Amino acid sequence: MKKLILNYHYFVLGLIGFVLNSCNSKFRVWVGKDSQKIYNLNYGDHKRQKMDVFLPAQYPRDAPVVLIIHGGAWKYGRKEHMIKIQKMLFENNIPSINMNYRLVSKHLTYKEQLADIHAVIEKFNELAEKSELQPNNYILLGESAGGHLALLYGYQNSDKIKKIISLSGPTDFYSKEYLNSFYSKYTSGTVQKMVGSKFDRKNLSEDFQSASPIANITNVPTLLFQGNQDFLVNQRQGLALDSALTAMNVPHKLIFMKNTGHAPRFFSKKKRDSIIYPNILEWIKK
């Protein structure tokens, strides 16, 4: 273990280029004893392209950075919804980034959201040496729609992503099981907007397969959380990916929670503190 930064002022100088491009009055830096929290750092020109960077006082140089991706059906949500996870990581001496991303609209799809994840990684890679960390050494942690984005980006960029953590993330928008399910009937409208192609179950575009993590699996260790009573992301989504990862011999773990709905950390302190957070920490540190 070593001190985070030999001279904090040199690290701040590394941020100046980003700050000068920002007119955001909410930009601020919290300084503790050899630790920093940098809020609303720009990683692009769009108003949504901001990230919070939490750097604890000490960690090994090879420590991965956890990149946190919020949920919200791809068209809602913000990074502040994930602040409890980021604080938990900080308290456990784990460096992290909590990002906003551009939301799905008439002109934006999940592809732009994946591009935002890539932009965050490229921006932080520029600061990695000053923060005594290694570039392209990330763990993606996403919830709900953010879980989908974490899985998809992680599998497509295994050279940058060491592990993935998906909390209640959807995984499949194209298989016969999905198309024949009641679940597809009430999610197809949202999925259609996210993918940016018409959802025609009789002649489904390959775009929906391209957007499905289960069709993009690579050898990236994956931790999955799935509730058996999740109405927003049907339990078969997590179970199907678990089976596919098993068949492909990809290191993974499924935390399948009974009597549990969507994003249970918001609604059950007991499950958050006894199941979700301990498994996240174990996965990061193993």
Side-chain angles (χ1 to χ4, degrees), residues 23-47:
C23 296
N24 186 349
S25 61
K26 293 184 179 179
F27 178 89
R28 59 193 177 91
V29 177
W30 175 91
V31 183
K33 185 177 180 181
D34 299 319
S35 64
Q36 289 84 44
K37 296 178 182 178
I38 303 106
Y39 295 90
N40 292 310
L41 182 64
N42 281 356
Y43 67 86
D45 296 330
H46 192 277
K47 64 181 181 180

Side-chain angles (χ1 to χ4, degrees), residues 1-245:
M1 302 291 284
K2 62 174 70 175
K3 289 291 183 181
L4 165 66
I5 299 168
L6 297 177
N7 189 320
Y8 169 69
H9 299 289
Y10 289 131
F11 181 75
V12 172
L13 287 174
L15 302 177
I16 285 178
F18 300 137
V19 179
L20 292 178
N21 291 326
S22 175
C23 296
N24 186 349
S25 61
K26 293 184 179 179
F27 178 89
R28 59 193 177 91
V29 177
W30 175 91
V31 183
K33 185 177 180 181
D34 299 319
S35 64
Q36 289 84 44
K37 296 178 182 178
I38 303 106
Y39 295 90
N40 292 310
L41 182 64
N42 281 356
Y43 67 86
D45 296 330
H46 192 277
K47 64 181 181 180
R48 290 279 308 180
Q49 292 175 317
K50 299 184 186 300
M51 59 183 179
D52 299 340
V53 180
F54 281 20
L55 301 171
Q58 293 183 339
Y59 44 73
R61 188 175 183 85
D62 62 352
V65 177
V66 178
L67 176 52
I68 305 167
I69 309 167
H70 69 77
W74 300 279
K75 58 181 179 178
Y76 306 108
R78 52 197 176 95
K79 56 185 169 59
E80 286 74 16
H81 295 156
M82 305 296 283
I83 189 61
K84 286 187 177 181
I85 286 183
Q86 191 170 31
K87 288 181 177 179
M88 181 273 292
L89 295 174
F90 185 80
E91 291 168 358
N92 283 274
N93 207 41
I94 298 169
S96 66
I97 302 167
N98 188 10
M99 66 177 289
N100 273 343
Y101 51 85
R102 290 171 290 174
L103 301 175
V104 162
S105 65
K106 185 177 181 180
H107 304 291
L108 294 172
T109 70
Y110 79 97
K111 292 180 180 179
E112 282 72 31
Q113 296 174 337
L114 295 181
D116 284 353
I117 295 173
H118 188 75
V120 167
I121 287 173
E122 291 302 301
K123 285 293 184 183
F124 195 79
N125 278 348
E126 297 174 13
L127 299 172
E129 183 176 352
K130 291 184 174 65
S131 56
E132 295 186 351
L133 288 163
Q134 297 174 351
N136 296 323
N137 186 24
Y138 297 90
I139 295 175
L140 295 185
L141 187 160
E143 186 167 59
S144 191
H148 160 259
L149 296 172
L151 290 164
L152 195 56
Y153 185 90
Y155 291 149
Q156 293 177 349
N157 296 272
S158 58
D159 58 325
K160 303 177 187 297
I161 308 305
K162 306 308 177 187
K163 297 177 183 177
I164 303 170
I165 301 170
S166 171
L167 296 92
S168 306
T171 67
D172 172 19
F173 311 118
Y174 80 100
S175 71
K176 288 184 178 179
E177 182 177 23
Y178 172 73
L179 294 176
N180 293 332
S181 68
F182 175 70
Y183 174 64
S184 74
K185 295 181 180 179
Y186 67 81
T187 59
S188 58
T190 297
V191 172
Q192 176 177 269
K193 292 178 181 177
M194 178 269 291
V195 173
S197 297
K198 183 178 180 181
F199 187 89
D200 182 353
R201 69 181 65 248
K202 294 182 179 180
N203 186 27
L204 193 69
S205 166
E206 292 183 357
D207 292 341
F208 291 88
Q209 181 173 348
S210 298
S212 298
I214 199 170
N216 288 269
I217 294 172
T218 56
N219 194 40
V220 182
T222 304
L223 174 63
L224 302 170
F225 291 87
Q226 178 70 57
N228 72 325
Q229 296 177 355
D230 192 336
F231 182 77
L232 294 178
V233 176
N234 183 269
Q235 64 174 322
R236 288 302 308 164
Q237 295 282 298
L239 292 171
L241 182 57
D242 175 59
S243 296
L245 291 168

